[in-house]
Amino acid sequence: MTEHAHTDCEKMLGFLSEYIDGGLNPELCQEIEKHLAGCENCRVVLNTTKRTIDLVHAPVEKPDLPEDVRARLFKRLNLDDYLKPK
Amino acid sequence: MNKTMPTEISLEALVAGDRAEFARLVDAYSSPIYRLGLRMLGDPQDAEDVLQNTFLSVLTHISEFEGRSSLATWLYRIAANEALMLLRRKKPEVNLDDVEAADEAEDLLPTQFVDWSALPEDELLSGEGQRILDGAIATLPESMRLVFLLRDVEGLSIRETAEALNLTETNVKTRLLRARLFLRERLSTYYGGHMSHEE
Ligand SMILES: [Zn+2]
């Protein structure tokens, strides 16, 4: 572990999400970047959290609605007339 | 929000009872709503119930839609409610309002510090990798999972997520952070072991 106060890591962690989403004010960003420069653990947490979110966004598996589910839905909503293939 | 709204849906037409327009709305949103149901309930039949009940509710209440939020947010709000109602019925033991638990910072603290973020994409997105990610999402506590699904999977903003779930933006941020750290921890456990294995 590095020698800086552990509370800095916890503070950093509290802002991690907003830092990644880009919603923080510049002063706070600067403070966080200063901490990151000196704290490897927090850098790892930042990198791997970013990567985790990237993976969720990756357009690998976004299955469309199964055709039979769609057909039953349209029937239930009395939309049979509009049940042509998309 | 245009990601899920391929073509502009006319609210006027919907309120006037235009069935063709309603069919277009159903086609534009049924996939994400079904996905949400599937991820929340973990069962295709339940997901189908959420889907059908959502649009039945839309039909009943469309004239009451006041346009304070976007139509998409309103739809997600109905879908989330349907999912929660079904969840309460199916799993009464689940605590959906564990705000207190969500505010406890302790279990936020990461314990895994292997940097797997530079692993190649095709390895991370392999069938196995995808299975690990899906499994981790499925084990997220429900109250966090719903926030995470709307924000990070379906791409709603913090504000839209708060509107859809009747939460404060602060609540949404807290739960989102916890969800992301929870998933990161799970993936780190897996890929950390994976990497030391290959050395
Ligand atoms: Zn740190």
Side-chain angles (χ1 to χ4, degrees):
Chain A
M1 281 295 282
T2 35
E3 54 199 62
H4 59 263
H6 195 59
T7 50
D8 287 351
C9 297
E10 283 184 33
K11 186 176 176 196
M12 150 83 212
L13 211 55
F15 289 114
L16 182 71
S17 226
E18 286 169 90
Y19 179 71
I20 290 173
D21 290 346
L24 288 182
N25 66 50
E27 296 92 75
L28 217 44
C29 282
Q30 239 175 19
E31 203 181 318
I32 285 172
E33 274 148 24
K34 201 174 140 210
H35 176 80
L36 284 169
C39 182
E40 194 186 346
N41 277 356
C42 280
R43 281 204 301 275
V44 172
V45 172
L46 173 68
N47 289 341
T48 48
T49 304
K50 269 189 186 164
R51 197 73 171 123
T52 300
I53 299 168
D54 284 350
L55 292 179
V56 173
H57 287 163
V60 164
E61 186 229 13
K62 276 211 171 180
D64 260 342
L65 193 68
E67 203 46 53
D68 58 326
V69 175
R70 179 170 176 260
R72 285 192 293 273
L73 175 63
F74 272 62
K75 207 170 165 74
R76 183 85 195 273
L77 298 170
N78 291 321
L79 291 172
D80 306 50
D81 318 353
Y82 299 94
L83 192 58
K84 49 185 188 288
K86 273 188 272 183
Chain B
M1 288 289 309
N2 288 330
K3 203 168 68 172
T4 46
M5 178 96 89
T7 41
E8 214 46 57
I9 303 278
S10 159
L11 183 61
E12 263 175 47
L14 287 177
V15 174
D18 183 329
R19 292 170 70 245
E21 194 66 2
F22 186 60
R24 285 181 60 222
L25 179 79
V26 173
D27 270 334
Y29 287 101
S30 48
S31 286
I33 288 171
Y34 182 72
R35 274 204 300 270
L36 187 73
L38 210 48
R39 296 266 202 196
M40 285 310 292
L41 279 307
D43 175 81
Q45 183 57 56
D46 289 343
E48 190 166 343
D49 285 349
V50 169
L51 179 66
Q52 294 191 355
N53 291 340
T54 297
F55 282 109
L56 286 170
S57 179
V58 168
L59 265 186
T60 315
H61 297 288
I62 188 70
S63 60
E64 299 159 25
F65 174 68
E66 291 171 331
R68 272 194 301 230
S69 59
S70 73
L71 187 57
T73 304
W74 186 68
L75 273 171
Y76 281 118
R77 186 186 176 97
I78 295 173
N81 274 331
E82 292 294 340
L84 288 175
M85 272 197 284
L86 194 55
L87 203 57
R88 281 198 185 95
R89 221 166 51 229
K90 294 248 160 169
K91 302 179 185 171
E93 73 282 3
V94 167
N95 182 359
L96 294 165
D97 308 297
D98 54 352
V99 186
E100 281 173 33
D103 285 339
E104 274 174 36
E106 274 168 51
D107 53 338
L108 272 182
L109 293 181
T111 63
Q112 304 286 329
F113 298 103
V114 178
D115 194 350
W116 50 269
S117 63
L119 283 176
E121 190 102 329
D122 56 349
E123 184 167 345
L124 293 173
L125 294 174
S126 66
E128 174 76 356
Q130 197 65 46
R131 204 178 55 74
I132 297 297
L133 181 61
D134 286 344
I137 293 174
T139 54
L140 268 174
E142 279 81 359
S143 62
M144 281 186 233
R145 202 189 315 156
L146 199 45
V147 168
F148 173 78
L149 291 174
L150 291 186
R151 173 74 182 98
D152 276 349
V153 177
E154 300 305 337
L156 272 67
S157 69
I158 296 281
R159 209 181 68 150
E160 289 166 334
T161 307
E163 280 171 2
L165 300 180
N166 230 357
L167 294 170
T168 65
E169 290 187 32
T170 306
N171 263 187
V172 168
K173 285 179 187 173
T174 307
R175 292 181 191 198
L176 181 66
L177 172 64
R178 283 170 50 89
R180 287 169 165 183
L181 287 174
F182 179 98
L183 295 178
R184 187 211 77 90
E185 196 77 5
R186 290 297 169 103
L187 295 188
S188 296
T189 305
Y190 175 73
Y191 288 116
H194 211 61
M195 281 171 74
S196 53
H197 206 67
E198 283 179 359
E199 272 165 3

